[in-house]
Amino acid sequence: MNQVDCRSALYMPASVEKVLAKGPTCAADAVILDLEDAVAPEGKQRAREQAVRALTQYDYGHRLRALRINAAGTRWHEDDVEAVARSRPDAVVLPKVETADDVRSLSRALDARPDTGEIALWAMMESPLAILNAASIAQCVSECPRLSLFIVGSNDLVREAGMPMSKDRTLLTPWLMTLVAAARAYGLQILDGVFNDFSDSAGLESECRQGLAMGMDGKTLIHPRQIAITNRLFAPSPEAIAQAEAIVAAFDEPGNAGAGVVQVQGQMVERLHLEMAQQLLARAVRLADRD
């Protein structure tokens, strides 16, 4: 599956039709129509049909369209998989992933249905067993190319671990870094978990900066007011863009055409950094066009 620029992914309860109607105009890079935690058991069927209608009738423009289904083993899972096949979102979000077999099972189920070849699989990592099996889950991308992204399910993760959710996430950090390492080792992207207090902009900004420093690609969100901060912080900063432009310009100088290392702003820069600078600038252009 192709890599995507996803700084922000907004959960939207599929049980609330007026909320779904806002998806095509929100500023998030992705919308996740939710059939799982946000929907009460008695509302699952109605939410499923509303999600299918939204995904098939609305024009979401550049936004990635994802559908979070109920976990394997629940009584709603099979019907949710059929809904995925009918609505063909860009991605299906599978909660409670704990082993590579969870990914393989859903991948096979989609492979058996027509016209589902382009649907990516996003795995939610939200239990201690998921942390212990993170590498083997990520590694199965070699046989299940639908797998393209990890989502941190931090609320469930701390609950199952019996761990307090502190604002600095000190105790959770080693677990998060394990997920980042597994994702990076096998070419997956990774989105950080939600920040629960949508009225705390300073707290959200701090957690976004922390996730960015860890190597996260973006963040999942629970409220539209969290989108602007998240998009800004997970996009290349003006300083990073200026530095990347300086690196590209230095290697473009005629005297540096064959150089492996050049000096830029007092630092020695290798061609590895040139490639990174070119990638950053290309991403900045894509995001600027989108915004």
Side-chain angles (χ1 to χ4, degrees):
M1 294 291 170
N2 293 329
Q3 296 287 308
V4 294
D5 298 310
C6 186
R7 302 162 294 180
S8 55
L10 178 65
Y11 287 111
M12 310 188 83
S15 55
V16 186
E17 203 161 12
K18 66 179 182 180
V19 172
L20 294 182
K22 297 177 182 178
T25 59
C26 79
D29 291 333
V31 292
I32 302 175
L33 280 60
D34 191 8
L35 301 177
E36 196 216 11
D37 284 349
V39 181
E42 62 272 15
K44 297 286 189 183
Q45 182 175 348
R46 181 168 177 266
R48 185 184 304 117
E49 293 307 315
Q50 289 183 169
V52 170
R53 279 198 301 274
L55 290 167
T56 54
Q57 295 179 11
Y58 292 153
D59 180 1
Y60 287 84
H62 69 267
R63 296 162 195 83
L64 293 168
R65 305 165 306 125
L67 182 63
R68 179 161 76 162
I69 63 176
N70 288 278
T74 66
R75 65 180 186 271
W76 309 288
H77 181 76
E78 291 300 324
D79 288 337
D80 287 353
V81 174
E82 287 298 332
V84 172
R86 283 192 287 144
S87 58
R88 295 200 294 276
D90 298 305
V92 54
V93 178
L94 179 63
K96 309 297 189 291
V97 173
E98 294 191 320
T99 70
D101 282 341
D102 295 330
V103 172
R104 295 186 187 104
S105 179
L106 180 56
S107 187
R108 286 195 296 266
L110 291 175
D111 289 346
R113 291 162 170 81
D115 302 320
T116 62
E118 295 302 313
I119 300 174
L121 195 161
W122 295 357
M124 288 205 69
M125 310 292 281
E126 47 190 337
S127 73
L129 188 56
I131 303 300
L132 293 176
N133 289 333
S136 63
I137 293 170
Q139 187 178 22
C140 81
V141 68
S142 61
E143 57 188 290
C144 301
R146 292 181 187 276
L147 179 63
S148 64
L149 187 146
F150 277 174
I151 295 178
V152 177
S154 45
N155 284 332
D156 282 310
L157 192 55
V158 297
R159 176 180 57 82
E160 291 203 20
M163 183 188 302
M165 175 65 93
S166 61
K167 283 198 171 183
D168 59 9
R169 300 197 295 183
T170 299
L171 300 177
L172 188 61
T173 296
W175 300 40
L176 298 177
M177 293 305 301
T178 297
L179 294 177
V180 172
R184 290 291 176 257
Y186 295 100
L188 305 181
Q189 293 187 297
I190 181 167
L191 298 182
D192 201 355
V194 299
F195 184 76
N196 295 310
D197 186 355
F198 59 82
S199 66
D200 182 4
S201 297
L204 172 64
E205 179 160 345
S206 176
E207 193 162 289
C208 284
R209 291 188 184 280
Q210 182 193 52
L212 182 64
M214 289 179 182
M216 302 283 185
D217 293 293
K219 192 167 184 64
T220 49
L221 311 174
I222 59 170
H223 196 280
R225 72 172 62 174
Q226 298 178 316
I227 297 172
I229 291 173
T230 304
N231 281 352
R232 172 173 58 83
L233 292 174
F234 279 98
S237 68
E239 295 78 14
I241 291 172
Q243 184 181 37
E245 289 173 338
I247 291 172
V248 172
F251 276 100
D252 281 345
E253 292 180 9
N256 293 333
V261 179
V262 300
Q263 183 174 317
V264 180
Q265 299 172 346
Q267 298 184 12
M268 301 308 294
V269 176
E270 303 177 4
R271 287 200 168 268
L272 166 65
H273 301 106
L274 172 61
E275 182 180 343
M276 293 169 61
Q278 291 168 332
Q279 292 172 351
L280 183 146
L281 292 175
R283 181 168 182 261
V285 169
R286 292 193 302 270
L287 293 176
D289 290 343
R290 177 186 303 173
D291 292 340

